[in-house]
Amino acid sequence: MVGLKSGNIEGFGQFSQFSSLQELNTHIEMWLAVHKHDFSKGALVGLKRLVRFSAKIPGVCNAKIGTILKAIHQEYKDNGISRSTFKRMIQKAKELGILSVYETERKNGSQSSNLYSFNRFPSNELPKEEIMNHPNETNNLLKTENQKIKERKEEPSELDHTFVSDRVPQPFVQLVKCFFPEAKMIEEYWKMVKISAYQYLWENDPELILDVAIQSFKQLIRKLKFNSNIKNPFAYFYGILNHKFFILYDEELKEKYNLKDVEMVFTVHSGGSHSL
């Protein structure tokens, strides 16, 4: 955006997409559940610090890069990140859709610090069904996906499923390990389950959450087996979860209030609304 004047952060409230800091943090968690592996450790440090600088106006920051880097260096006792690492993080976040960046200028026309605006995680709709008329392209999809995961490894070896946190139910671990045996990967899939359940008010029903998680993961694997057009299994899995939790919420709401054809709007934790 050209011609945006620099100023106090309070003057950029219109760039915020979030109603509260809690909502911002929820969407950041969803972004990282899908794209954490796209960032280096240093870049993640920079991204998380940028989020902390975006608290006054939820999701919006106009701090100078030098100011942000100084805060990181102080926190990590002079073992912070470089300016180039921070800039690469910004570029990657822009490419993934996590951030929008606007140039600002001073009154005299000279360039000032950028304005950073975090975007909401994409809509909670189930991904559209892909056309399945290319059988020759669907072979060994899971092998290809596992190969990509191995290429991302920065550690000499990955912890296997026996190291998964106790917070992840064993039935889910036993299922996911057959396709993604690394502990970190299993925990990332479960994190998306918890986020989706929280959005649709099911966080206090562990049996239902586990059942939906297992059904959704099986649906994901079936899709991966027969369709090569799914570029991001995490995002697709998240879409399946949201679809199932929404249907359950819809049914419970109608039963509770004896609704049939009555149209009403409800709001979930993320701040979005759905019509019944």
Side-chain angles (χ1 to χ4, degrees), residues 36-46 85 88-89 154:
K36 185 177 181 179
H37 62 268
D38 292 310
F39 295 93
S40 66
K41 291 182 179 179
L44 281 173
V45 169
T85 296
R88 284 196 296 270
M89 177 276 292
E154 297 180 3

Side-chain angles (χ1 to χ4, degrees), residues 255-269:
E255 181 179 351
K256 181 177 181 180
Y257 294 102
N258 195 26
L259 299 176
K260 293 182 179 180
D261 299 323
V262 179
E263 182 176 343
M264 65 179 295
V265 175
F266 67 88
T267 303
V268 294
H269 288 351

